[in-house]
Each structure stands twice: as C-alpha cells, then as structure tokens.
Amino acid sequence: MEKEIKKREILSVEILYDDKEDLDILTESEDFHKLLFDEVVIGIEEALETQSNTAEVIDIPNLECSVTIYRRNFKTALEGVIKFYENQEDYKKCAELVRLKKKVNGPEKRSKGNT
C-alpha cells in the first residue's frame, strides 16, 4: 500500500499598497522576508518528499502572480535562506537548512580517484 502524500495548501497573500514606497517598505521588512523564506523551505521540503521538479512557494492573487522554484534552483534558494538566518543569528535553523541542502544535493558521488 502506497503512502498517501497530502499536498499543502499554498500560502495565498493579497498585497495591498497605495504607492511604490509602501511596496518597498513591505518587501524590505524582516517579517516579510521571514514569511517568504519559511515558505521557500516548506515548498522545497514538500517537493523533495513528492519528488516534484518544482516548489510552489506563495500565490499573490490580486497581483496575478505566484512564486515557484525549479529544482535546479533549490540549492541557490536555500543558500539565500541560510544567509538570512545567519544574519538573524539563528544557528539552529541554519543547521536544519544545511541538512536540507544536503538532501537537495543528493548523495555524494565518489570520484574514481578516491577510494
């Protein structure tokens, strides 16, 4: 019997702003980055579990856009998340993310020269 994997509901956020300055303030805020980066991690974890080639991160319906990360970019995305948490000095989270990054990289292949 196969294990049923339940897909999560993608975070849907409406971003409302009066002018570009408001949008800049939002996108530069630490809280916004934390929300977005946490969703990146959740999306990548789910993609690995379901063997998907993409990680769906966030949907912004009122701007008619969404954020999706392709598998070839998982490592780069995680490196950005790790930098964020290093700046936050959350080293426990960094350690978790490094382990996730190793899963993304897959098993290390031995070169013919190494025994």
Side-chain angles (χ1 to χ4, degrees):
M1 182 182 254
E2 284 187 40
K3 179 182 171 186
E4 186 177 321
I5 298 172
K6 183 181 176 188
K7 281 194 86 165
R8 82 183 207 288
E9 190 171 320
I10 306 304
L11 179 64
S12 181
V13 177
E14 282 197 32
I15 297 178
L16 305 173
Y17 59 96
D18 292 324
D19 54 41
K20 187 179 178 317
E21 238 176 58
D22 290 344
L23 190 58
D24 289 342
I25 291 168
L26 171 68
T27 59
E28 291 171 6
S29 77
E30 190 174 299
D31 289 339
F32 182 77
H33 282 136
K34 183 173 180 348
L35 173 73
L36 189 59
F37 288 147
D38 287 347
E39 290 300 314
V40 164
V41 171
I42 292 167
I44 290 174
E45 288 173 333
E46 180 182 72
L48 293 174
E49 186 175 322
T50 62
Q51 298 180 343
S52 176
N53 287 322
T54 59
E56 296 176 42
V57 177
I58 191 170
D59 182 40
I60 308 169
N62 67 310
L63 299 180
E64 298 181 4
C65 71
S66 61
V67 175
T68 301
I69 303 171
Y70 290 96
R71 183 176 286 272
R72 67 181 174 267
N73 296 319
F74 287 1
K75 178 182 171 189
T76 303
L78 287 172
E79 287 169 353
V81 178
I82 290 168
K83 283 182 187 175
F84 172 79
Y85 281 105
E86 282 176 349
N87 290 335
Q88 300 297 309
E89 297 182 5
D90 187 342
Y91 301 115
K92 181 178 178 187
K93 185 73 171 181
C94 289
E96 293 170 15
L97 294 169
V98 167
R99 285 191 292 276
L100 180 59
K101 186 176 158 189
K102 286 180 182 177
K103 283 185 186 177
V104 167
N105 290 337
E108 288 187 28
K109 295 178 183 166
R110 302 187 91 166
S111 67
K112 290 182 182 180
N114 293 344
T115 53

